[in-house]
Amino acid sequence: MFSKDFIWGAATSAAQIEGAEYEDGKTSSIWDIASRMNDGRFSRFQKTPLSSCDHYHRFIEDVAIMKKIGLKAYRFSISWTRLMKENMNTINPKGLLFYNRLIDALLDAGIEPFITIFHWDYPQSLLDQGGWQNDKSVTWFAEYAKTVVELFSDRVKKFITINEPECFVNLGYLDKRHAPYYQLPEDAVFKIAHNVLKANGLATILMRQVAKQKIEIGQAFALTGAIPFSENDKDINAAKHCFFNHPDSSFWGTWFLDTIMNGEYDKKRLAKISISPDVLDKDMRIIHQTPDFIGFNMYSGTLTKHLGENDYQRMPDPIDSDYTMMDIPIAPSCLYWAARFLYEKYHLPIYIMENGVAITDSPDENGDIDDPARINFIREHLIHLSRALKEKIDVRGYFYWSLLDNYEWAHGYSRRFGLVRVNFENYKRTLKKSAYWYASLIKSNGEILEKERVDKNYGNL
Ligand code: NOJ
């Protein structure tokens, strides 16, 4: 069912695991600054990414753990403020050395690196100049992305330009829930979203020009599944319509993805903004860069029922839904439906760039960590994903979020997503049962899924 080259992976991001926040020339990202704001805007836990998992000093050990699990690929991000000096024009040699050593260690271990170029840790020095609100942000980002490809594409073939634009734009600039904790009017946020799209487009153009070998470029969009209430055509179409429908006062759903793919804004959004048709036309040509694959992060989904022509109802979560520590319901078929809807619409290879669960796991008296709920979560999601493969939907890989327990942004260190436990006092790593289970799953290339199927018993959530 899973092809022999199916990519079994795990993902992390720089700010969430590296630590060494101000070492070897790294300067501040907006998260370094925001996590120190002492006015109640940030984290109930007042934690900073100061040392995170200390991966910066322990990456050799972490790569050995990945090898032990048998990962085929590892998705990590580059810290913009570590790779570049504060002026963002010159390379920081020590930052470069770190990423070169990490990439070489991965390749030596037979693990394919997937590089995320930007995973939320925007340079504070650029925010001070207006950040995404400044039109120069387009070239700032594109030049940085080009540098990443110039430096690493001799050894790395897969690049993700931006992680979850939906989240950092909506939560960071509209809803005041993530760094930089802004609450701007909708038209200002539209400009930010427009610049992000343009930056992604220009980056894609430049990256393709300078790549040292054939590379594949995509994004990791934050999508929520729409699951048909029943499998009759009406409900399936209603779910599909809901999945691709955009709310008109925010930037959630497939809005970023569809704009890139279609090279135009949806009409109802366009009606609300003032942008001259000439500029729009020119910008759209930059924005409209078809990626080589569609990457998305997905953690949940909502049941959707047909109501009438192009009309649907999002149903309340079923009474027996299990909720993760992030307060979202577990809905494993979301992966199948999203892969199917996206493939039917765009016919591009698909990667699940993130899927995972935070639960209350803790070591027993022997130090072992039994996390059946996580095993169950992964198993159920993959069983549904395997249906997509059986139906010849071109899903190329699955990345569990996350390899390590880590810094969960505004939640500090209170949400543990890892296959591997990190003790944040002494940074000791312990493989959880789920890591051993994932290892056997990878070893069997997914074969053990069906044999082990258990219906819904999420245990210690
Ligand atoms: C999405 C983000 O990309 C990642 O940084 C975050 O930790 C996970 N989801 C879990 O919330």
Side-chain angles (χ1 to χ4, degrees), residues 11-13 16 75 119-120 163-164 167 178 220-222 297-299 326 328 353-358 401-402 406-409 411 415 417:
T12 63
S13 89
Q16 294 179 270
R75 176 184 165 219
H119 197 125
W120 300 2
N163 179 70
E164 298 200 344
C167 278
H178 271 188
F221 297 103
N297 303 344
M298 184 164 284
Y299 290 82
M326 300 298 281
I328 45 179
M353 288 297 183
E354 284 181 30
N355 169 247
V357 65
W401 181 272
S402 177
N406 60 41
Y407 179 69
E408 179 55 25
W409 308 110
H411 291 286
R415 301 291 189 275
F417 278 89

Side-chain angles (χ1 to χ4, degrees), residues 216-419:
E216 291 173 30
I217 304 173
Q219 297 74 31
F221 297 103
L223 304 180
T224 299
I227 302 166
F229 186 70
S230 78
E231 292 212 10
N232 74 38
D233 286 351
K234 283 188 170 160
D235 283 339
I236 292 176
N237 287 335
K240 192 169 178 174
H241 183 69
C242 167
F243 186 67
F244 289 110
N245 194 30
H246 314 131
D248 48 6
S249 59
S250 66
F251 302 87
W252 291 107
T254 54
W255 185 80
F256 279 95
L257 165 66
D258 289 336
T259 308
I260 294 171
M261 293 304 293
N262 302 333
E264 59 181 20
Y265 284 125
D266 60 11
K267 305 278 176 299
K268 51 182 196 284
R269 181 56 65 87
L270 207 49
K272 295 174 79 179
I273 53 164
S274 53
I275 184 165
S276 97
D278 287 355
V279 174
L280 189 65
D281 220 42
K282 207 163 101 262
D283 287 359
M284 275 305 166
R285 279 200 295 276
I286 297 173
I287 289 172
H288 186 32
Q289 303 303 318
T290 307
D292 297 296
F293 55 81
I294 292 186
F296 65 91
N297 303 344
M298 184 164 284
Y299 290 82
S300 193
T302 312
L303 279 177
T304 313
K305 197 174 172 26
H306 167 87
L307 274 190
E309 183 79 19
N310 283 342
D311 199 6
Y312 59 82
Q313 184 185 0
R314 305 187 85 178
M315 307 298 286
D317 303 324
I319 301 246
D320 60 347
S321 290
D322 289 300
Y323 286 80
T324 74
M325 273 189 85
M326 300 298 281
D327 283 336
I328 45 179
I330 298 180
S333 63
C334 61
L335 292 189
Y336 163 73
W337 290 105
R340 173 167 157 180
F341 294 156
L342 287 165
Y343 195 64
E344 280 171 1
K345 184 158 179 190
Y346 293 126
H347 303 287
L348 284 177
I350 285 174
Y351 286 95
I352 314 300
M353 288 297 183
E354 284 181 30
N355 169 247
V357 65
I359 57 175
T360 52
D361 48 22
S362 48
D364 64 17
E365 61 282 5
N366 304 317
D368 295 336
I369 299 141
D370 195 5
D371 54 345
R374 178 168 293 105
I375 296 177
N376 229 339
F377 180 97
I378 305 175
R379 182 196 285 123
E380 293 278 314
H381 281 77
L382 285 170
I383 286 172
H384 285 279
L385 188 65
S386 69
R387 176 175 170 197
L389 291 155
K390 279 181 205 139
E391 294 175 12
K392 305 270 179 277
I393 293 167
D394 189 5
V395 182
R396 302 261 169 105
Y398 170 89
F399 288 81
Y400 178 76
W401 181 272
S402 177
L403 175 72
L404 304 171
D405 289 343
N406 60 41
Y407 179 69
E408 179 55 25
W409 308 110
H411 291 286
Y413 296 94
S414 66
R415 301 291 189 275
R416 291 181 178 272
F417 278 89
L419 294 168

Side-chain angles (χ1 to χ4, degrees), residues 46 166 211 322 435 447 454-455:
Q46 288 298 323
E166 302 80 6
D322 289 300
E447 291 283 304
V454 278
D455 277 320

